[in-house]
């Protein structure tokens, strides 16, 4: 069963004192419970200094092992398992987040916040692990999806740009041409002619 299917059964009301501990980063609750954020796939100690999550996205676990069993990854910042998260695993979590949210506005600051790291460290480690910067990875993901839409739909170039997360049509054309060597319209023509 996938994590999202499992989580459907886990929706819960968070005790008020636990929610307050999360919001206030209360270290006296460390070891009492762990909280996981469904949108990021990461779990933390109550004292974690990361950006406060939305209440509806939080699940509570009494033990770190339970969060791990539900396929949540330990936070790189607060290290809820006591162990350092390997860089490869951390970046895998970031690429997984990008793959699921590439249509949204994604900046280095946003990615750093959801992955519980600093923008500078994330940029450096991401490039070392993947060979690309986060922005290059996001653009490649968007262009790949745009190629599929150009082949499989009759949406306009502007509509496709918006669907892949680039609302400025001129910028979308520029990014697409930089990656593929053709404008989106020319790419669609070439696909239609079998070239």
């Amino acid at each position: 069963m996938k994590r999202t299917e499992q989580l459907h059964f886990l929706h819960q009301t968070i005790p008020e004192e636990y929610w307050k501990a999360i919001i206030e980063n209360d270290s006296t609750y460390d070891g009492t419970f762990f909280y996981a954020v469904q949108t990021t796939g990461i779990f933390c100690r109550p004292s974690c200094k990361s950006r406060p999550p939305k209440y509806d996205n939080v699940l509570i676990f009494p033990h770190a092992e339970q969060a791990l069993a539900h396929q949540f990854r330990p936070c790189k910042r607060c290290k809820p398992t006591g162990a350092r998260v390997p860089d490869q695993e951390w970046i895998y979590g970031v690429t997984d987040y990008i793959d699921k949210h590439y249509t949204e506005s994604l900046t280095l600051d946003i990615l750093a916040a959801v992955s519980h790291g600093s923008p500078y460290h994330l940029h450096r480690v991401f490039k070392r692990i993947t060979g690309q910067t986060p922005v290059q990875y996001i653009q490649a993901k968007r262009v790949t999806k745009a190629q599929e839409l150009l082949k499989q739909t009759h949406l306009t170039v502007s509509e496709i740009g918006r669907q892949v997360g680039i609302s400025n049509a001129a910028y979308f054309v520029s990014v697409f041409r930089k990656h593929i060597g053709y404008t989106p319209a020319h790419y669609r023509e070439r696909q239609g002619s079998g070239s």
Side-chain angles (χ1 to χ4, degrees):
M1 190 183 286
K2 290 184 178 174
R3 180 167 58 95
T4 51
E5 293 168 348
Q6 291 172 334
L7 297 182
H8 179 69
F9 302 107
L10 289 176
H11 189 70
Q12 57 191 210
T13 302
I14 302 168
E16 191 176 324
E17 68 177 302
Y18 283 13
W19 181 244
K20 186 176 180 206
I22 292 167
I23 297 303
E24 295 177 358
N25 312 116
D26 189 341
S27 62
T28 61
Y29 282 84
D30 284 359
T32 305
F33 73 93
F34 297 86
Y35 72 93
V37 182
Q38 296 180 72
T39 51
T40 63
I42 293 173
F43 76 98
C44 300
R45 299 172 191 266
S47 63
C48 189
K49 301 289 189 208
S50 297
R51 184 170 68 179
K54 290 183 181 168
Y55 180 92
D56 292 339
N57 295 332
V58 172
L59 294 174
I60 301 295
F61 294 99
H63 306 286
E65 294 76 21
Q66 291 169 309
L68 290 167
H70 284 89
Q71 300 177 358
F72 286 99
R73 295 179 309 280
C75 172
K76 191 164 179 75
R77 180 175 287 168
C78 71
K79 302 176 182 74
T81 61
R84 182 181 170 279
V85 177
D87 287 345
Q88 189 104 17
E89 187 178 326
W90 183 46
I91 297 305
Y92 169 75
V94 177
T95 59
D96 186 51
Y97 184 85
I98 292 169
D99 292 347
K100 292 175 182 166
H101 299 270
Y102 69 91
T103 62
E104 300 168 18
S105 173
L106 292 178
T107 64
L108 190 56
D109 286 340
I110 289 170
L111 293 175
V114 299
S115 66
H116 300 188
S118 75
Y120 171 78
H121 185 63
L122 172 61
H123 188 274
R124 193 169 51 82
V125 174
F126 195 100
K127 183 155 186 178
R128 180 171 50 80
I129 300 289
T130 68
Q132 300 176 296
T133 67
V135 169
Q136 289 168 332
Y137 185 90
I138 293 164
Q139 286 183 346
K141 177 73 180 175
R142 288 173 171 167
V143 167
T144 299
K145 185 60 180 174
Q147 286 177 282
E148 291 173 20
L149 292 171
L150 285 163
K151 287 187 236 180
Q152 299 167 1
T153 72
H154 295 290
L155 295 171
T156 67
V157 169
S158 294
E159 289 169 330
I160 290 172
R162 281 192 298 276
Q163 281 208 8
V164 300
I166 305 174
S167 57
N168 181 313
Y171 181 64
F172 169 63
V173 170
S174 170
V175 168
F176 191 92
R177 184 183 313 153
K178 179 180 167 193
H179 281 263
I180 304 301
Y182 302 105
T183 64
H186 191 195
Y187 176 82
R188 180 179 263 165
E189 274 177 34
R190 291 178 58 83
Q191 296 305 307
S193 66
S195 299

